[in-house]
Amino acid sequence: MRRAGLWVVICAAGMIAGATAARAQQSEPVDPNRRKAELQKEIDDTEQQLAALRNQRVQLQARLDSVVAARTAERARVLLASTEQSALLQLDSLLSVAQGEMRDERDQMMALGDAVRRRTGAVLVVTLRADSSQSQTLGRADLLVDDAPAAERSYTAVAQTALQMGAVDELYRADVLPTAHAIELRATVNGQPLTQRVDVTAAGQSITYVQFLVRNGQLIPSTLTSRTIPASP
């Protein structure tokens, strides 16, 4: 009897210890940094899967377009070999349809590119301001982003006065891919043409600011990155 009672006490103690450990494990606080890292990993994995699916879609669309283009070219060759008026009319209609399909494809690719850029959450902003402590004449300004024209300005006397009083001209704001970008500003300051180029890397879920300051007849660039709230997946 004593031995049986001893075993009952030992089992009860073990159950109490197990329950206490379980409660301690349940009440243990969750590390927010670890949870954030796990969620970020899930988001990154989802984005990679979406990118892979988009890539597959683009490849399939390209193959389909290649087949359609080949058939269209063959049909056009046959029609060109004919001198009948009806064949020429069919050729004109065929070319019109092909032109429309090319426009639709271009619009789809542009829309897909815009969607990808918005999904990354990377925004690029380029501004121009003048040193208000100096009297300077600012004429024309042309902005290039990745060697492509992005904005142009011709500053009137009123606009120059506003800049002298501290106004900031936002030349460019757009969703971009989170990669390196080349920003080049060509401006006429005090009658002299100036060119300033700066390379920046736009981070995801961030706004990258590039500012050109007109001071002492020169263009002085500076950059700043501000984090934004991640977009909902």
Side-chain angles (χ1 to χ4, degrees), residues 77-114:
R77 187 188 65 80
V78 173
L79 293 175
L80 283 173
S82 176
T83 57
E84 297 180 0
Q85 184 177 4
S86 60
L88 296 177
L89 292 175
Q90 291 179 34
L91 176 60
D92 180 72
S93 177
L94 183 65
L95 293 176
S96 298
V97 171
Q99 185 178 11
E101 291 178 348
M102 291 178 62
R103 284 196 298 264
D104 293 341
E105 182 65 21
R106 181 200 60 186
D107 294 341
Q108 291 178 6
M109 296 301 296
M110 292 180 63
L112 179 59
D114 291 340

Side-chain angles (χ1 to χ4, degrees), residues 124-140:
L124 178 64
V125 179
V126 182
T127 61
L128 174 67
R129 73 182 186 91
D131 189 346
S132 59
S133 64
Q134 301 175 351
S135 177
Q136 302 174 105
T137 301
L138 182 60
R140 182 179 177 85

Side-chain angles (χ1 to χ4, degrees), residues 8 25 29 44 74 105 125-126 133-134 143 147 175 210 228:
V8 171
Q25 184 177 4
D44 293 341
E74 178 61 22
E105 182 65 21
V125 179
V126 182
S133 64
Q134 301 175 351
L143 178 68
D147 297 323
D175 298 301
V210 178
T228 61

Side-chain angles (χ1 to χ4, degrees), residues 131-210:
D131 189 346
S132 59
S133 64
Q134 301 175 351
S135 177
Q136 302 174 105
T137 301
L138 182 60
R140 182 179 177 85
D142 295 282
L143 178 68
L144 288 83
V145 177
D146 296 330
D147 297 323
E152 60 180 33
R153 295 286 193 275
S154 293
Y155 293 101
T156 62
V158 175
Q160 293 188 46
T161 300
L163 291 173
Q164 290 292 335
M165 296 178 63
V168 178
D169 186 8
E170 184 176 283
L171 300 175
Y172 182 83
R173 176 185 287 268
D175 298 301
V176 296
L177 293 176
T179 58
H181 298 276
I183 314 300
E184 181 176 315
L185 180 64
R186 303 171 183 174
T188 303
V189 179
N190 298 331
Q192 298 296 323
L194 300 176
T195 299
Q196 183 61 263
R197 184 184 179 95
V198 59
D199 295 325
V200 297
T201 299
Q205 308 300 338
S206 300
I207 302 178
T208 301
Y209 295 92
V210 178

Side-chain angles (χ1 to χ4, degrees), residues 3-134:
R3 183 174 298 176
L6 180 59
W7 277 107
V8 171
V9 172
I10 292 174
C11 292
M15 294 176 63
I16 294 173
T20 303
R23 286 196 300 270
Q25 184 177 4
Q26 292 177 357
S27 60
E28 181 180 355
V30 179
D31 186 0
N33 293 330
R34 179 180 177 184
R35 180 55 178 165
K36 181 179 179 181
E38 292 176 351
L39 292 175
Q40 185 61 45
K41 185 177 183 303
E42 292 177 2
I43 293 175
D44 293 341
D45 292 341
T46 302
E47 289 181 348
Q48 291 178 1
Q49 294 175 5
L50 290 174
L53 291 175
R54 293 191 188 100
N55 188 33
Q56 293 177 7
R57 178 187 179 279
V58 170
Q59 291 179 358
L60 290 175
Q61 186 65 41
R63 293 177 183 176
L64 178 60
D65 292 342
S66 178
V67 173
V68 172
R71 291 182 177 179
T72 302
E74 178 61 22
R75 178 60 177 165
R77 187 188 65 80
V78 173
L79 293 175
L80 283 173
S82 176
T83 57
E84 297 180 0
Q85 184 177 4
S86 60
L88 296 177
L89 292 175
Q90 291 179 34
L91 176 60
D92 180 72
S93 177
L94 183 65
L95 293 176
S96 298
V97 171
Q99 185 178 11
E101 291 178 348
M102 291 178 62
R103 284 196 298 264
D104 293 341
E105 182 65 21
R106 181 200 60 186
D107 294 341
Q108 291 178 6
M109 296 301 296
M110 292 180 63
L112 179 59
D114 291 340
V116 172
R117 286 190 288 270
R118 287 194 300 270
R119 186 66 181 83
T120 64
V123 179
L124 178 64
V125 179
V126 182
T127 61
L128 174 67
R129 73 182 186 91
D131 189 346
S132 59
S133 64
Q134 301 175 351

